[in-house]
Amino acid sequence: MIRIFKPKDIPKKLLKEGKEETKRLIDLFDHDEDYQKGIKKFEFNSKIYGHKKVKNALINAQHGKCCFCERKTEVGDVEHYRGKGGYQQSSTDIVIKPGYYWLAYDWSNLFFCCETCNRSYKRNYFPLANPDKRADGFLRNIEEENPLIINPQEEDPENYIEYLGFSARAIEGNSKGKETIERTGLNRPFLDENRRDSYEIIKELYLLSQDKSIPESKRFELEKIVRQCALPDKEYSLMIKCAIKHEFKY
């Protein structure tokens, strides 16, 4: 998981049709208690927030990687950081409705996410440090919330998550790092296997780059390759960045 920098130019699909749909949803909420109580479900238009131009803009901003696990993928969803339909504070809670319906088409609330992170793990989870601060309507200020899942657009994941070898862990056991790792499945088995394979290959290159029996020019080239693997556009870049920092000792 790394910091994501989205383009300032918001896709026109969201600016026009997204704003119109947002107004419609707010009007429904204002005039119908059944929506306010979560009895009626809001209908969302995936052809707007999931439009090809919106999705491609996110994919490009994220270097073709999932916003959570950093796996390169051509198959994925437009994920809502704050759930549009409902939310859960914990896994034992029922899904509370309505969710953050007014953010369904908000550019700042959208990310590209692999199907596994989105559908099998994060789903409707959106825990807060203080649930009493939850914005339960569009007039409430979301800035008062303190989400326990990292927002990679607003926060640098490196402040909360590090890798020892190919396993993610919360830095000094911080709650935001722990919740993010758990809720997005960053240490799930299949993903661990993929990261391990990448880690072992790059580790071999690193060890060769430190081998004094190899010509200096060759070692320099190997070291350059290793450092390039930690660049933002590379798969599992935070893992490799941490590995270089720890000299691949784990």
Side-chain angles (χ1 to χ4, degrees):
M1 193 175 187
I2 61 171
R3 188 74 183 267
I4 292 171
F5 298 93
K6 295 180 189 174
K8 293 182 180 179
D9 293 333
I10 300 173
K12 292 180 180 179
K13 196 76 173 175
L14 298 176
L15 284 175
K16 187 177 185 298
E17 295 176 48
K19 281 190 174 182
E20 292 172 355
E21 274 296 294
T22 300
K23 183 179 182 303
R24 182 185 70 83
L25 295 174
I26 291 173
D27 286 343
L28 285 174
F29 183 85
D30 280 347
H31 297 99
D32 193 329
E33 288 188 0
D34 284 348
Y35 283 106
Q36 297 169 18
K37 295 176 180 178
I39 297 172
K40 286 184 179 179
K41 290 183 180 180
F42 285 107
E43 295 293 332
F44 301 100
N45 190 342
S46 62
K47 292 182 179 179
I48 297 176
Y49 66 75
H51 189 270
K52 184 177 181 180
K53 290 187 176 179
V54 176
K55 191 172 187 177
N56 285 344
L58 292 171
I59 290 172
N60 290 335
Q62 297 174 204
H63 311 290
K65 301 192 295 185
C66 170
C67 65
F68 295 124
C69 72
E70 278 198 83
R71 183 167 64 89
K72 292 265 189 181
T73 178
E74 296 180 356
V75 180
D77 303 321
V78 173
E79 136 79 3
H80 291 80
Y81 174 67
R82 287 176 165 86
K84 63 186 184 300
Y87 61 85
Q88 289 173 288
Q89 175 69 21
S90 71
S91 59
T92 58
D93 293 340
I94 62 170
V95 177
I96 304 299
K97 300 176 182 178
Y100 297 83
Y101 60 91
W102 68 98
L103 298 177
Y105 309 99
D106 192 302
W107 181 231
S108 67
N109 196 45
L110 304 178
F111 293 94
F112 176 66
C113 184
C114 76
E115 291 181 347
T116 305
C117 282
N118 187 30
R119 303 182 191 185
S120 299
Y121 287 89
K122 183 174 180 292
R123 297 183 290 179
N124 293 299
Y125 293 130
F126 195 68
L128 302 182
N130 183 356
D132 292 336
K133 294 290 186 179
R134 191 177 297 277
D136 55 3
F138 70 96
L139 293 177
R140 290 283 299 272
N141 186 4
I142 60 173
E143 298 301 323
E144 294 181 1
E145 295 184 337
N146 181 12
L148 291 178
I149 292 179
I150 297 167
N151 183 333
Q153 181 181 355
E154 303 294 336
E155 305 166 293
D156 190 343
E158 289 186 46
N159 293 331
Y160 304 97
I161 294 174
E162 65 180 351
Y163 282 85
L164 292 185
F166 53 87
S167 294
R169 77 169 186 177
I171 297 173
E172 297 181 351
N174 75 88
S175 58
K176 185 166 288 194
K178 288 173 67 176
E179 284 290 328
T180 300
I181 291 169
E182 180 182 353
R183 301 304 181 193
T184 62
L186 288 188
N187 282 330
R188 60 184 182 265
F190 181 73
L191 180 60
D192 258 3
E193 291 174 16
N194 283 353
R195 282 200 308 247
R196 180 183 60 198
D197 291 345
S198 295
Y199 180 89
E200 293 298 340
I201 291 170
I202 299 168
K203 180 180 180 179
E204 286 301 315
L205 295 176
Y206 174 82
L207 293 176
L208 286 172
S209 75
Q210 306 301 303
D211 188 342
K212 295 296 195 291
S213 67
I214 296 176
E216 184 177 3
S217 60
K218 185 64 175 177
R219 286 190 283 119
F220 177 79
E221 287 301 317
L222 289 168
E223 184 177 349
K224 183 179 178 181
I225 292 171
V226 171
R227 294 197 177 278
Q228 285 177 336
C229 291
L231 294 177
D233 63 326
K234 298 301 189 291
E235 195 170 46
Y236 312 132
S237 60
L238 179 55
M239 176 186 73
I240 300 304
K241 190 173 183 178
C242 291
I244 293 172
K245 178 182 177 181
H246 297 136
E247 299 179 330
F248 286 84
K249 291 178 180 178
Y250 297 100

